[in-house]
Amino acid sequence: MTLLAIPVPADWDLDLADDYDDDLPPAGATAPEQDVVAPDPEDLAAVGRGERTALLDAYVRGELGRVLHVAPGSIDVAGRTMNSLGVGSINGLELQARMEAALGIVIDLQRLLRANSAAELIDCLAGQLGPEDSPHKSAARRGTGTPAAAA
């Protein structure tokens, strides 16, 4: 196989690496982990449904962004299933563990993975973390011992 050689003028600067490498991370570097701060469950229970949903929307977007390595603001929470967002079994487990630890609730992994949208997850979390009369509350939240399940 023969390569085609094309002559170029001597004054052309063909050292393109110097012009573009400054913006690239070093080889093998990973993106810095995004800091995600969960809202306090007691604070969530004390606010109205709209504010609770907004706080959880920001939190869930942050967790999804961190797990999927994308900007939280770019996540389509209403129009795409969790699977189509890129949430699979491995990062679903990570997402589940992080949210359970931060919010103090139990989240059903299968329901999380099969959610029709992140908005569905957010709505369910808003119900679980709200006042005691929410239909999303499980027997555990009412004191009978069964764990809560979200998503």
Side-chain angles (χ1 to χ4, degrees):
M1 178 170 148
T2 305
L3 296 176
L4 178 62
I6 301 174
V8 295
D11 61 338
W12 282 15
D13 180 14
L14 296 179
D15 189 11
L16 299 177
D18 289 340
D19 295 335
Y20 298 101
D21 284 351
D22 295 340
D23 297 334
L24 300 175
T30 58
E33 187 171 305
Q34 299 171 353
D35 241 358
V36 179
V37 179
D40 184 276
E42 290 181 17
D43 292 343
L44 290 171
V47 298
R49 177 71 181 225
E51 187 176 348
R52 186 169 49 254
T53 299
L55 290 168
L56 287 166
D57 181 270
Y59 169 66
V60 170
R61 281 178 188 267
E63 287 292 4
L64 283 168
R66 193 193 58 72
V67 167
L68 300 173
H69 305 287
V70 298
S74 70
I75 297 171
D76 178 3
V77 295
R80 298 180 61 190
T81 64
M82 296 296 277
N83 186 279
S84 72
L85 286 173
V87 178
S89 58
I90 300 298
N91 53 15
L93 282 167
E94 182 180 354
L95 186 63
Q96 174 196 29
R98 289 184 61 86
M99 290 193 308
E100 284 181 346
L103 300 173
I105 58 175
V106 175
I107 298 172
D108 182 299
L109 179 62
Q110 292 303 315
R111 291 184 69 193
L112 183 148
L113 294 173
R114 293 182 181 162
N116 289 322
S117 65
E120 184 178 295
L121 169 63
I122 293 163
D123 183 58
C124 196
L125 291 172
Q128 270 191 283
L129 294 162
E132 291 301 318
D133 61 351
S134 169
H136 294 277
K137 295 288 184 188
S138 73
R141 291 292 193 151
R142 288 185 223 115
T144 62
T146 307

